[in-house]
Amino acid sequence: MHNKDSMKTFIILIISLFCLTVKAQDTLYFPSGEIQLVELISVNKTEGLIKYTFEGKTQIRSISTLKSYSNQANVSDKNWSVIIGTNDPLPGGAKYNSSSIEDPSKYSYGKFSIGANLLSPFFFQGNDLDLTISSNYNQSFYVQYNVNKKIGFRLPMRIGFNRLKDSIILETGEYLWNHDRDLLGEGGIEVLFMFDDNRKITPYWMPGIYVGVNQRAISEYKDSTNIKTYFPSPKHTYYRIGLTGGFQFNFSKHIQLNTELGFNLNNASTYYDYVRKRLGFQAAVNLVYRFGGRRRE
């Protein structure tokens, strides 16, 4: 009996010493039940990340991947962050966890994406309001590169179709409104300032500058007849300076949508022999393909 009591006392003492040792160190408790004794370096509660040393290696881990952790060293909260790449693991193999941000997206994406405006078929007409960029059908699309989750660059392009190429004879009083501002093509550059591209829905605003080529229909009237002959004018190079606001919806792995609305100042409209500066508007519902999409771990 004496030996059994001594053995029980020894086992209890060993367990107590082990527990005291665990509690005396910085400890990570995982949902799987695993326990790691580490040296905590710093904590960033804003980003939801901790930095620590384990087995001689510095590692960074999302707090949300842990059941709990102890901070025996009383390491203070520090504002630091890591650069999140497309498929780049954090040091030590830990993954950035999207639950550390508000309204997190389930997916992370590569730096490149392409988009096409689904509203292009609806925004062309020639009329007295003179607000649209062209009177003929045009299709706009873009290539985008995100430097990080806050800043990106776009190369937008626009191609015009069904422009006036040959002369047309009409009765006096009729006008070719559908060829008032025929667009040939346009290109530019836009800078995106995003709230946070890791979110499901992120707002952004986007200044841009554009250069394009267009033409209009001009007429030749003969008094002896009741007809006018319309033919394309010489090509005209114009500029646009715009400001657009939008929302990016990151709900799937590759295919996304974003909506945009903005205004621009341009000299795309010509009237007889002089060029008019005018205020125009621009709107888009872009169908977007994002490269490198993957589900966050």
Side-chain angles (χ1 to χ4, degrees), residues 26-291:
D26 300 324
T27 310
L28 305 184
Y29 300 92
F30 292 84
S32 63
E34 180 186 357
I35 297 175
Q36 287 184 0
L37 301 180
V38 302
E39 181 183 351
L40 206 59
I41 299 174
S42 59
V43 178
N44 186 342
K45 293 181 180 179
T46 302
E47 295 286 343
L49 300 172
I50 60 172
K51 185 184 295 184
Y52 60 92
T53 300
F54 178 66
E55 294 182 347
K57 296 181 180 179
T58 300
Q59 300 189 18
I60 299 173
R61 179 174 293 277
S62 172
I63 295 174
S64 62
T65 64
L66 300 172
K67 184 177 180 180
S68 63
Y69 68 96
S70 65
N71 185 1
Q72 299 298 326
N74 293 320
V75 174
S76 59
D77 185 18
K78 296 182 180 180
N79 291 324
W80 51 271
S81 60
V82 294
I83 299 175
I84 308 300
T86 306
N87 296 305
D88 299 332
L90 298 175
K95 300 290 186 178
Y96 176 78
N97 192 285
S98 62
S99 62
S100 64
I101 60 175
E102 184 182 355
D103 184 33
S105 171
K106 295 180 181 179
Y107 305 94
S108 63
Y109 303 99
K111 295 182 179 296
F112 288 96
S113 60
I114 56 175
N117 187 3
L118 301 180
L119 297 185
S120 290
F122 304 101
F123 282 96
F124 62 94
Q125 57 181 347
N127 53 39
D128 294 335
L129 294 177
D130 204 23
L131 291 176
T132 56
I133 193 63
S134 69
S135 53
N136 62 322
Y137 167 63
N138 65 90
Q139 179 62 54
S140 61
F141 53 95
Y142 65 82
V143 176
Q144 181 172 322
Y145 174 81
N146 286 357
V147 178
N148 52 44
K149 65 181 182 180
K150 298 286 188 179
I151 298 177
F153 293 92
R154 274 190 196 174
L155 295 178
M157 290 153 277
R158 190 187 299 261
I159 300 176
F161 300 90
N162 194 33
R163 58 188 176 88
L164 181 64
K165 298 179 181 180
D166 300 311
S167 61
I168 296 179
I169 297 176
L170 297 176
E171 293 185 4
T172 303
E174 295 186 54
Y175 186 77
L176 290 179
W177 291 112
N178 57 321
H179 293 292
D180 185 37
R181 296 182 311 281
D182 278 355
L183 174 73
L184 281 73
E186 179 190 87
I189 185 169
E190 298 168 326
V191 183
L192 283 87
F193 297 94
M194 299 172 284
F195 184 81
D196 184 348
D197 193 40
N198 289 323
R199 294 163 55 99
K200 290 179 183 176
I201 303 175
T202 182
Y204 60 89
W205 63 281
M206 181 176 64
I209 185 169
Y210 320 84
V211 177
V213 177
N214 67 358
Q215 64 184 31
R216 66 184 181 91
I218 56 179
S219 62
E220 180 181 81
Y221 177 68
K222 296 181 179 180
D223 292 334
S224 58
T225 63
N226 193 34
I227 60 173
K228 278 187 177 181
T229 301
Y230 287 92
F231 54 92
S233 70
K235 294 178 177 61
H236 164 60
T237 301
Y238 69 87
Y239 71 85
R240 289 197 301 131
I241 300 174
L243 181 63
T244 304
F247 292 89
Q248 172 73 38
F249 300 92
N250 296 319
F251 288 126
S252 70
K253 190 173 181 180
H254 292 294
I255 305 299
Q256 317 293 343
L257 285 175
N258 61 47
T259 58
E260 300 175 353
L261 182 64
F263 298 89
N264 63 79
L265 179 67
N266 67 80
N267 67 344
S269 181
T270 57
Y271 187 73
Y272 291 101
D273 294 327
Y274 66 91
V275 177
R276 294 183 296 173
K277 293 182 180 179
R278 63 191 181 92
L279 184 67
F281 79 95
Q282 54 205 42
V285 175
N286 293 310
L287 180 64
V288 182
Y289 183 86
R290 303 198 66 171
F291 294 92

